[in-house]
Amino acid sequence: MNEGFIVCRCEEVTGKQLEDAYLSGAITSRQLKMKTRVTMGACQGRVCRQLVNLWLSKKDPSADKGVEPLSYRAPIRLVTFGELAGEE
């Protein structure tokens, strides 16, 4: 992967940042997430999660085996108190 390639558009994480984090000991997707904020943006990893997992599996095919996968989060949108109360 090109080092200047943006992996996570929401958090602007580059391939170089992933590589640096991996070399510093972040060898699972969860550790990469904590070190670089990849998959923590507005889309909650819906865009970059597969790319990160593919990159990680190419770095080390045995990585993340038996480790809890990154969770998906529900999209967030603003809700008014009126909507919660059932008012229009």
Side-chain angles (χ1 to χ4, degrees):
M1 177 184 314
N2 182 343
E3 288 188 348
F5 179 76
I6 301 282
V7 176
C8 177
R9 292 183 287 181
C10 298
E11 293 294 324
E12 297 181 0
V13 178
T14 64
K16 178 166 179 19
Q17 289 172 305
L18 279 184
E19 183 71 31
D20 291 345
Y22 184 82
L23 293 174
S24 73
I27 58 171
T28 67
S29 55
R30 183 165 303 286
Q31 290 170 343
L32 286 171
K33 178 181 180 177
M34 296 300 119
K35 191 108 173 162
T36 66
R37 295 193 50 83
V38 70
T39 76
M40 293 179 76
C43 79
Q44 293 294 298
R46 285 172 179 77
V47 175
C48 62
R49 180 184 321 269
Q50 289 180 329
L51 185 58
V52 170
N53 288 335
L54 178 64
W55 178 84
L56 189 58
S57 69
K58 287 188 182 225
K59 291 298 280 183
D60 180 6
S62 66
D64 265 0
K65 302 297 186 242
V67 176
E68 179 186 348
L70 295 175
S71 61
Y72 285 94
R73 308 246 182 211
I76 299 172
R77 72 174 186 86
L78 299 176
V79 178
T80 66
F81 285 114
E83 289 174 321
L84 289 174
E87 299 173 6
E88 292 186 34

